[in-house]
Amino acid sequence: MRDPRFDVLFEPVRIGPVTAPNRFYQVPHCTGMGNIWPATLAEMRGVKAEGGWGVVNTEYCSIDPSSDDTPYPYASLWDEGDVRNLALMVEKVHAHGALAGVELWHGGLRSANRLSRSSALGPVSLPSEPDPEQCKAMDLADIKALRAAHKAAVLRARAAGFDIVYVYAAHTYLIAQFLDPAINQRGDAYGGSLQNRTRLYRELIADAREVAADRMAVATRIEVNDEDGRGQEERRAIFEMIKGEIDLFDVTIADYSQEMGVSRFIKEASLEAEIAHVRALTGKPVVSVGRFTSPETMLSQVKRGILDLVGAARPSIADPFLPAKIREGRLDDIRECIGCNICYAGDGRGVPIRCTQNPTMGEEWRRGWHPEQVALASQREKVLVVGAGPAGLEAALTLGRQGHEVMLAEATGDLGGRVTRESRLPGLAEWARVRDWRVHQIGKLGNVEIFRGSAMTAEDVRATGAAHVLVATGSRWRTDGRGRHHPAAEPSFADPRTLGPDDIMDGRRPEGPVVVYDNDHYLMGALIAELLAGEGHEVTYVTSAGTVSSWTSFTAEQTRGQKRMIELGVRIVVSHAVARLIPGGAVLACGYSGRESEIACAGFVPVTSREPEDSLWLALGDRGEANAEAGLLSIARIGDCKAPGFIASAVYDGHKAARELGLEPAAVAPRRERVIVD
Ligand code: ADP
Ligand code: SF4
């Protein structure tokens, strides 16, 4: 039963003409689905409503072709077809008694309109991102057309059945560009004074109100501060101006990587006071996203009068059933977000959202996966899982829930595999939640037995009498240099100065000066450089990419990560490979010219690629007859021992292997959503 302390979170909240059934509010967030995969999107949002979120919003939703973000998957309300597609989402959300909201969006100069080929629009003509083309400075006719288009989109939102419609003034999009005095240098009635810079915003709100009337609430998303923490006074004046017309304030903070919930950048200092001020100033319900994520912090924010609705993006992705679990008093079942932001990367890569903690995210429609339910196996099997990293733990848990008799064998005394090691790196402590949640859940099952200190050989596996074995033995970082730059081993790396990432995570340390060579481009190289520099080593970070941890631009971490490295005094060398080690130094090769240079190197950490730990799988595969004699029906490898990758991929692979155990491929073929010409 629920702790009565949490009752307040289950109170209904009036938002203008509509009422949210509780205070759990899924703020608009990208899904990488947008208007490309509408059924996939609708099912995913519907599952959140089923999990108890009282309000479920869309992602950014374009009002017309003058705001086209192709190739990024955005939602749209351009025409009747879009109305039909989004009505499906609304229907799925309403089916569980939740409200559906739509975040109408115009990107302004940040929308390059690559598909629609209409000139980008902005308050003045500036380069649009990231193409070397400029937007058109909006004239009065453009402003009139924009107002008409926005109003028509509100009408379509109403037709689709939405309960809440947003006027979106945050995240440096069109309205924010008009508000920003640094960008808006117009000399007419839409630029200059605050009154003028807010004119378009106020007009769009008034237009939205007119159409929304008593059917939809009008919300706005706006930052409480600006990027430098300056301008609070001006923000307050804006809130004062619009408060009469707005039913709900969805306030954000200007620091994007904090707002995005990337755990390694979250600062304790918050803008709670400013957010509380919006509530006091406007007298309207306030919601905000960010660090207000655990049940305790959610409760505290509401009790202290900071917020009326607790906004969440990541927590609703990692655990769509978070509200239901609080309601049922099952706090320990909540699958907590780890703040890795892999979920956001889907948008930048143009694919549906993936989550490290929740392998069913994005697979609700395609594979029919539910985050809380797995079908009981028709036949109880004896299954052995070898390796207790993310893949093995997830597989063992899911198999256990299906009712199988599961043995999980782990070579070491520690569970968690790579996450246990990686959570020791700077800022990654929360990654251990991938292990902890699964170990805790497995502990609740009577049919999963864990064997630590059990390094399995093929003979050991056969002796268990298991009918099925899932090999989840992981991978180790290579130290021989193999990777993108050196497809074959570089002989000079076999040197006493060389330590691999696994050595560093296990506590070994190199001599200084140290060269960390990042040919991987995700977090490992940068975090080792950060760790060693933090301990006082003289560190040079060499990357074959053009920026520090270049792939993390997809997780909104790149800029902050590079800044941190600069602040730590790490010397950064980009677009260079470490060609070879020489006595006392390393030879670097320019990625463009091939020109070589030398730097001092007494310690060397290559971060290039990983070696799948597949020896057990190979040994098992070699002995078909012995396996058959031992009663082994199937052997599969999962996770990093098959293909080293993200933790999210290993968790997904473990989950999938468990759900599909013993099933024919045709029975588990995913559905495919695409346009068919009619
Ligand atoms: P993944 O990300 O695919 O789950 P990890 O590297 O995180 O992979 O985890 C692999 C786990 O498998 C490690 O904890 C490792 O100790 C364990 N392991 C490797 N080989 C064996 C083996 N032969 N028997 C039992 N456990 C093993
Ligand atoms: Fe949280 Fe990572 Fe899942 Fe995103 S991908 S919701 S940050 S655990």
Side-chain angles (χ1 to χ4, degrees):
M1 266 314 290
R2 131 167 133 234
D3 181 339
R5 284 188 311 130
F6 290 106
D7 286 355
V8 66
L9 296 180
F10 294 89
E11 289 170 352
V13 180
R14 192 151 183 83
I15 308 172
V18 297
T19 302
N22 59 41
R23 297 183 191 270
F24 294 95
Y25 189 101
Q26 180 244 282
V27 296
H29 71 75
C30 298
T31 62
M33 296 172 189
N35 57 20
I36 308 173
W37 292 289
T40 307
L41 179 80
E43 198 68 29
M44 185 273 286
R45 300 282 190 211
V47 164
K48 294 198 195 198
E50 185 192 347
W53 296 88
V55 180
V56 176
N57 282 287
T58 65
E59 56 264 78
Y60 67 145
C61 181
S62 170
I63 61 165
D64 83 343
S66 73
S67 182
D68 148 41
D69 215 22
T70 310
Y72 307 107
Y74 56 96
S76 56
L77 267 176
W78 293 2
D79 54 29
E80 283 312 302
D82 284 338
V83 171
R84 268 176 56 193
N85 285 346
L86 282 174
L88 181 65
M89 171 203 145
V90 172
E91 191 187 301
K92 300 264 176 190
V93 169
H94 282 173
H96 300 284
L99 299 180
V102 56
E103 184 185 45
L104 292 185
W105 165 79
H106 197 292
L109 67 86
R110 284 194 58 204
S111 169
N113 299 342
R114 296 175 188 90
L115 178 67
S116 70
R117 303 191 72 176
S118 97
S119 298
L121 299 173
V124 293
S125 184
L126 282 172
S128 61
E129 281 296 335
D131 301 316
E133 287 205 288
Q134 292 190 207
C135 70
K136 169 189 183 193
M138 293 170 78
D139 57 29
L140 293 182
D142 292 322
I143 289 182
K144 195 169 164 209
L146 176 94
R147 282 185 62 184
H150 198 273
K151 197 167 175 179
V154 179
L155 203 58
R156 287 190 286 270
R158 194 179 150 134
F162 283 104
D163 309 287
I164 299 173
V165 65
Y166 270 70
V167 180
Y168 186 12
H171 299 150
T172 71
Y173 292 126
L174 183 74
I175 300 174
Q177 293 153 22
F178 269 85
L179 295 179
D180 187 344
I183 294 176
N184 183 351
Q185 303 277 323
R186 298 172 70 99
D188 65 1
Y190 289 89
S193 67
L194 182 62
Q195 195 68 18
N196 283 355
R197 280 183 282 118
T198 55
R199 188 174 310 280
L200 178 62
Y201 186 28
R202 289 184 284 112
E203 287 174 348
L204 294 177
I205 292 171
D207 294 341
R209 270 236 84 79
E210 201 184 308
V211 181
D214 56 359
R215 262 280 314 280
M216 291 189 290
V218 176
T220 191
R221 204 175 202 188
I222 182 168
E223 278 104 15
V224 285
N225 63 331
D226 63 18
E227 193 66 58
D228 307 318
R230 287 180 291 106
Q232 247 86 333
E233 283 311 312
E234 183 165 304
R235 289 278 138 170
R236 289 179 189 192
I238 296 174
F239 290 124
E240 193 72 62
M241 279 180 202
I242 60 174
K243 67 181 182 189
E245 302 292 318
I246 293 292
D247 299 314
L248 172 71
F249 284 89
D250 178 345
V251 291
T252 71
I253 52 176
D255 183 336
Y256 203 49
S257 46
Q258 273 216 64
E259 187 211 317
M260 296 285 275
V262 180
S263 52
R264 65 196 188 98
F265 297 130
I266 288 180
K267 290 186 290 212
E268 282 315 309
S270 80
L271 289 164
E272 272 192 357
E274 278 306 315
I275 294 171
H277 193 83
V278 176
R279 193 167 179 262
L281 190 77
T282 63
K284 294 292 171 68
V286 172
V287 62
S288 185
V289 68
R291 293 138 292 163
F292 321 117
T293 50
S294 76
E296 289 299 338
T297 47
M298 286 174 169
L299 187 61
S300 148
Q301 298 290 334
V302 171
K303 286 228 157 132
R304 286 182 297 127
I306 315 288
L307 297 170
D308 299 276
L309 295 130
V310 286
R314 273 72 193 148
S316 75
I317 297 166
D319 197 337
F321 275 63
L322 181 146
K325 289 174 184 176
I326 300 177
R327 189 177 59 223
E328 292 157 16
R330 298 194 290 126
L331 298 192
D332 66 323
D333 286 342
I334 294 172
R335 206 169 30 229
E336 281 185 289
C337 168
I338 68 165
C340 61
N341 233 14
I342 285 293
C343 48
Y344 180 62
D347 195 64
R349 308 305 283 144
V351 291
I353 186 166
R354 283 84 177 79
C355 170
T356 302
Q357 278 286 57
N358 175 8
T360 67
M361 178 47 57
E363 301 293 345
E364 300 83 353
W365 183 89
R366 197 172 79 104
R367 292 192 179 276
W369 287 0
H370 188 279
E372 298 300 310
Q373 294 159 15
V374 283
L376 269 184
S378 52
Q379 197 177 328
R380 184 182 164 103
E381 303 272 16
K382 193 167 176 182
V383 190
L384 169 69
V385 180
V386 184
L393 285 171
E394 176 65 25
L397 173 61
T398 310
L399 289 164
R401 288 184 168 169
Q402 289 167 304
H404 292 296
E405 184 187 338
V406 186
M407 295 169 283
L408 174 60
E410 166 55 44
T412 67
D414 294 325
L415 303 178
R418 61 177 290 190
V419 291
T420 297
R421 285 201 301 281
E422 289 173 21
S423 61
R424 295 179 198 132
L425 293 169
L428 299 194
E430 292 180 12
W431 287 26
R433 289 173 177 172
V434 173
R435 172 198 64 207
D436 296 343
W437 183 80
R438 286 171 179 78
V439 172
H440 183 69
Q441 295 298 315
I442 287 173
K444 293 186 172 198
L445 299 172
N447 52 333
V448 182
E449 211 175 335
I450 298 180
F451 300 90
R452 296 170 200 246
S454 304
M456 303 293 282
T457 62
E459 288 71 43
D460 296 335
V461 170
R462 283 189 282 264
T464 61
H468 303 275
V469 57
L470 295 179
V471 180
T473 45
S475 63
R476 302 291 288 180
W477 284 95
R478 290 174 173 144
T479 54
D480 62 6
R482 269 187 296 158
R484 293 187 171 98
H485 184 78
H486 293 288
E490 165 48 43
S492 68
F493 285 9
D495 186 289
R497 286 171 290 173
T498 303
L499 288 179
D502 289 306
D503 297 317
I504 301 291
M505 288 186 282
D506 289 341
R508 294 183 61 194
R509 291 294 176 264
E511 297 290 315
V514 186
V515 173
V516 177
Y517 170 40
D518 186 359
N519 189 224
D520 165 64
H521 307 161
Y522 186 41
L523 285 172
M524 184 58 68
L527 293 183
I528 288 179
E530 195 176 319
L531 175 76
L532 297 177
E535 290 176 358
H537 293 267
E538 183 189 331
V539 180
T540 301
Y541 167 88
V542 179
T543 177
S544 43
T547 56
V548 170
S549 301
S550 63
W551 196 87
T552 61
S553 60
F554 296 114
T555 48
E557 295 169 280
Q558 198 284 321
T559 317
R560 288 285 294 268
Q562 185 146 351
K563 179 173 176 226
R564 180 169 290 179
M565 202 179 272
I566 293 167
E567 286 166 358
L568 279 166
V570 174
R571 183 181 163 217
I572 298 168
V573 180
V574 299
S575 305
H576 279 71
V578 175
R580 60 192 172 278
L581 296 185
I582 52 172
V587 175
L588 309 187
C590 169
Y592 299 99
S593 66
R595 196 171 296 148
E596 294 192 341
S597 52
E598 288 178 19
I599 58 170
C601 172
F604 181 53
V605 187
V607 183
T608 58
S609 68
R610 286 175 276 166
E611 184 66 29
E613 184 62 62
D614 55 6
S615 51
L616 175 64
W617 185 77
L618 289 171
L620 281 167
D622 272 355
R623 300 284 310 279
E625 271 178 32
N627 295 343
E629 266 171 42
L632 249 181
L633 301 176
S634 75
I635 306 164
R637 54 182 168 163
I638 58 172
D640 290 334
C641 79
K642 181 170 78 182
F646 296 113
I647 299 168
S649 306
V651 171
Y652 168 77
D653 212 30
H655 191 82
K656 181 167 175 291
R659 284 205 189 234
E660 297 182 353
L661 189 86
L663 297 178
E664 292 300 321
V668 294
R671 287 205 275 180
R672 182 173 167 216
E673 186 175 17
R674 84 285 199 192
V675 175
I676 298 175
V677 179
D678 60 12

